[in-house]
Amino acid sequence: DAGITQSPRHKVTETGTPVTLRCHQTENHRYMYWYRQDPGHGLRLIHYSYGVKDTDKGEVSDGYSVSRSKTEDFLLTLESATSSQTSVYFCAISDDSSYNSPLHFGNGTRLTVT
Amino acid sequence: DQQVKQNSPSLSVQEGRISILNCDYTNSMFDYFLWYKKYPAEGPTFLISISSIKDKNEDGRFTVFLNKSAKHLSLHIVPSQPGDSAVYFCAATAMRQNFVFGPGTRLSVLP
């Protein structure tokens, strides 16, 4: 298993509260990603990072922000959670030493916004 | 507008037979394609990939075929085993910043 740890694994929160999900890797990979999985949509990219303090938006970034202050940690923040953000969130990493490198995923965080 | 499509939400196959999962894409800039397997309550696990300069890649029981003119790829699993029962996602990328995933196909391998 790639060394990726997501925390928490489960979270229930109320609408309007801020939430931060954490992804920690031990592989020293430069690229890190946040995806959400919803029925009928597969996995959709929220934000990604190509290095410390270097981040960019994905296709479903509205309502989310990210930070990467260290190579090993990539944080996803929901500034004010909404019910539409109820989902399973996956962090992924990719080795940039090879152009064709797959993503490796963590085990996910199930977030419920009530 | 989905750039990666998996038109079969589910597939059932007898143990020992071949499983064929299909995927279509619309973006001609995609040049790297991947298959992932996902069990409940776990993250997707990388299975096999293929770059656009090839039309076939094999790894044990898994073979991926790429037909660039048809913008179609398929995953063959031979022989299928009960442990292969999972959701399979097809993914594609052009610039490596964004890997685009299909909606998934649930494979059930019946004993």
Side-chain angles (χ1 to χ4, degrees):
Chain A
D1 281 352
I4 309 168
T5 304
Q6 291 187 234
S7 58
R9 290 297 313 276
H10 303 270
K11 174 109 180 140
V12 179
T13 192
E14 292 184 350
T15 298
T17 59
V19 177
T20 295
L21 309 183
R22 180 180 184 241
C23 178
H24 178 80
Q25 60 142 333
T26 58
E27 305 296 322
N28 201 36
H29 287 344
R30 192 158 69 103
Y31 286 93
M32 297 186 75
Y33 306 77
W34 277 107
Y35 281 83
R36 60 179 287 175
Q37 186 197 0
D38 303 290
H41 291 279
L43 294 103
R44 292 180 293 173
L45 181 66
I46 305 170
H47 282 277
Y48 65 95
S49 169
Y50 41 92
V52 173
K53 293 188 172 23
D54 289 326
T55 65
D56 208 343
K57 296 179 180 180
E59 62 178 299
V60 290
S61 60
D62 287 349
Y64 301 95
S65 62
V66 290
S67 67
R68 189 157 178 214
S69 58
K70 297 185 288 185
T71 299
E72 57 266 35
D73 289 326
F74 193 29
L75 304 181
L76 177 70
T77 297
L78 291 66
E79 303 291 347
S80 176
T82 67
S83 59
S84 65
Q85 293 176 312
T86 292
S87 187
V88 182
Y89 291 85
F90 289 101
C91 174
I93 65 175
S94 178
D95 181 3
D96 60 311
S97 65
S98 168
Y99 185 63
N100 287 334
S101 288
L103 298 181
H104 295 283
F105 287 86
N107 281 327
T109 294
R110 181 173 293 277
L111 177 67
T112 302
V113 183
T114 61
Chain B
D1 184 30
Q2 286 189 337
Q3 297 186 70
V4 177
K5 302 175 185 180
Q6 294 176 257
N7 292 321
S8 298
S10 63
L11 174 69
S12 292
V13 171
Q14 288 295 130
E15 180 179 4
R17 305 296 291 268
I18 184 171
S19 295
I20 300 176
L21 296 99
N22 293 303
C23 177
D24 297 292
Y25 62 95
T26 57
N27 188 342
S28 57
M29 298 301 291
F30 287 148
D31 63 354
Y32 183 48
F33 304 88
L34 311 92
W35 284 95
Y36 285 82
K37 177 169 78 171
K38 186 183 181 304
Y39 294 121
E42 294 184 9
T45 301
F46 170 68
L47 268 179
I48 191 168
S49 64
I50 188 168
S51 75
S52 59
I53 62 173
K54 295 186 176 182
D55 54 18
K56 178 183 174 182
N57 189 28
E58 234 175 314
D59 185 0
R61 297 186 298 114
F62 302 92
T63 302
V64 56
F65 295 91
L66 175 62
N67 182 333
K68 288 185 291 293
S69 61
K71 294 190 179 69
H72 177 83
L73 66 155
S74 60
L75 175 68
H76 293 209
I77 306 173
V78 185
S80 301
Q81 300 173 352
D84 296 329
S85 296
V87 177
Y88 289 78
F89 292 100
C90 168
T93 185
M95 299 291 288
R96 306 302 181 273
Q97 290 97 332
N98 185 11
F99 289 71
V100 182
F101 285 78
T105 296
R106 182 176 302 278
L107 174 66
S108 299
V109 180
L110 310 173

